Amino acid sequence: MKKTSDIIKNEESAMEITSFLTSVEIQQSSAKLLQPIYHGDQPVSTTMFVPLNVFDRLSDDIYISMLYAYKPPNPSNTLLEQGLRKTLSEYREWAGRFGEDEIGQTIILLNDQGMSFTEASANCTLDQAFPFTTPILLKLSPNFEGVEELAAVQLTRFTCGSLVLSFSAQHIVADGQSVSHFMISWAQACRGLDIHPLPLCNRNIFVPRNPFNIEFDHRSVEIVKRKISKYSIPLPYAEDDLVQQILHCTPEFIAKIKNKASFSPGSSFSDVNGGCKPPYSTFVCLAAHLWTVITRVRGLDDSQTTYVKISVNGRRRLRPPIPDEYFGNMILCAFSETQAKNLYEEPLSHIAKIVQEEVTKVDDNYFKSYIDFANKNLKDDGLTPRKADPLSVPSCWPNLEINSWLGFTFNDVDFGTGKPFICIPSFDPLEGETYVVPSTVNDKSIDVYITLFQQQQALFKEMFYNID
């Protein structure tokens, strides 16, 4: 049993930490627009435009932010600025603006008006500010309320010499795979290297078949389910209660989840030695586990239907495959659905099977069928970029949304002084929004970032790690 004096000391220490964190200040010192730098004497047209592809049109009208932290010595702001301007000559969309064509469809104007570039400083060391609270996370990236820029960078210097670099991207312009390649290109430019591979910036490559061959009910999925279901009951907490929960998964912990998710009585999966061979990927097993845990934490009724929404990258699913360097969006979503009762009672292997089956369905045939459907219904308002539904409490309840960044190269962004030692998504104020990211520890561990109500953090963490 703890002594009363120890409890008092711990409480005082916690109060001191809380008091310090509330005093962390991040001040923006300058903000400007960066235009591309072009090589050669030939003038570049600024009247060109790019139409949205059929996958861009499914994207939400939101900005996604990624934070990279570098210990000293790190690159100067001037070096980062010059490298960024060179990179923008190959990724012109980021320096452009949205517009409309003659029939009112959204387009990207390649007018080189510029990307937002902000310099800032903090009044503390990075160790004192990390792990970042929600208010600090929000200050490390620019505010996007009412802005026209399609991408933004903020460089925040800490008193210890550490640098936090925030890159924020308009999701309608490109997906996570594209952002990953852009960041590597920026790093190459800062190191004086040629950008390789160059981005594939042709959004007209998704040609429908003649005649159309629409094999699936895309209206029920891509139009209806893409909208997070509005809950029909009052939620127990408020928007101000939303926080980011970080869960570190060691290789040993991941192995336990995979073994549990792959074990099923009577299963036919086995390796050459007669042992159990996990049939599911790391991501599928984690997704099944996360879905089970959040359902229990929420305490959904047995009969409540819930789904987990999973983004599926189509570049390698199409036949022939699309190069990874394709710049734009190429994402469709899998929706695995069941009743809460099954998530309470069935083994993890059963839940993993539900997830796996839906993810597997989003294959070459499905992507091509959607391309046909979207081209046949180009004027459908349901196939246009949209802002998030105005909810009193931003939440996926009773559902879960999971984005996998496991195949992206975020951790390899080296501007010349080394790779980042922190690489995390910024705070996403939507309860149930989840990102699965490779850890910078470089031991094959994984970090999970999920937005939860702070009142449920402790229970979620306890149940997440309790897999025995």
Side-chain angles (χ1 to χ4, degrees), residues 209 213-218 364-366 368-370 372:
R209 293 168 291 191
N213 184 15
I214 302 170
E215 303 177 63
F216 303 92
D217 183 8
H218 298 286
D364 174 63
N365 287 336
Y366 193 91
K368 288 177 178 174
S369 175
Y370 168 72
D372 290 350

Side-chain angles (χ1 to χ4, degrees), residues 16-27:
E16 289 175 1
I17 292 172
T18 302
S19 176
F20 176 79
L21 288 176
T22 56
S23 66
V24 172
E25 294 183 5
I26 296 175
Q27 297 288 339

Side-chain angles (χ1 to χ4, degrees), residues 64-272:
I64 304 296
S65 299
M66 193 77 183
L67 303 177
Y68 306 78
Y70 297 86
K71 292 180 178 179
N74 46 55
S76 67
N77 289 8
T78 300
L79 175 66
L80 291 168
E81 177 182 337
Q82 293 304 306
L84 181 55
R85 294 184 66 190
K86 293 176 183 177
T87 310
L88 287 176
S89 68
E90 301 293 348
Y91 292 83
R92 294 187 64 192
E93 288 89 339
W94 290 137
R97 297 291 184 270
F98 285 138
E100 289 187 354
D101 62 16
E102 64 278 2
I103 61 172
Q105 297 289 328
T106 300
I107 57 176
I108 304 172
L109 304 172
L110 303 182
N111 54 19
D112 291 351
Q113 288 193 9
M115 173 192 287
S116 174
F117 186 82
T118 302
E119 297 174 281
S121 61
N123 66 342
C124 62
T125 67
L126 184 57
D127 286 343
Q128 289 173 321
F130 192 80
F132 301 132
T133 61
T134 299
I136 295 175
L137 281 169
L138 295 176
K139 291 178 182 178
L140 289 171
S141 297
N143 186 343
F144 294 103
E145 191 68 33
V147 303
E148 295 182 347
E149 295 84 2
L150 303 184
V153 166
Q154 179 170 314
L155 308 177
T156 304
R157 301 279 175 177
F158 287 76
T159 57
C160 59
S162 295
L163 165 69
V164 171
L165 183 156
S166 165
F167 179 73
S168 304
Q170 168 56 260
H171 204 331
I172 296 173
V173 176
D175 57 20
Q177 179 82 63
S178 294
V179 171
S180 172
H181 276 272
F182 171 79
M183 295 301 296
I184 293 294
S185 298
W186 182 11
Q188 290 173 338
C190 287
R191 299 201 307 271
L193 303 175
D194 292 334
I195 293 175
H196 181 78
L198 290 172
L200 172 58
C201 295
N202 182 0
R203 298 186 188 227
N204 296 314
I205 62 176
F206 303 111
V207 180
R209 293 168 291 191
N210 186 12
F212 294 134
N213 184 15
I214 302 170
E215 303 177 63
F216 303 92
D217 183 8
H218 298 286
R219 185 167 300 281
S220 296
V221 178
E222 275 69 40
I223 292 182
V224 177
K225 281 192 174 180
R226 68 184 280 223
K227 300 178 180 179
I228 297 298
S229 296
K230 290 187 177 182
Y231 40 81
S232 58
I233 60 172
L235 292 181
Y237 308 110
E239 181 176 1
D240 291 343
D241 295 319
L242 293 175
V243 294
Q244 185 184 70
Q245 173 92 311
I246 305 173
L247 303 154
H248 183 68
C249 305
T250 64
E252 294 76 18
F253 179 75
I254 293 169
K256 287 184 178 180
I257 290 181
K258 293 186 73 170
N259 286 336
K260 186 174 182 181
S262 300
F263 176 75
S264 179
S267 171
S268 60
F269 292 100
S270 62
D271 60 23
V272 292

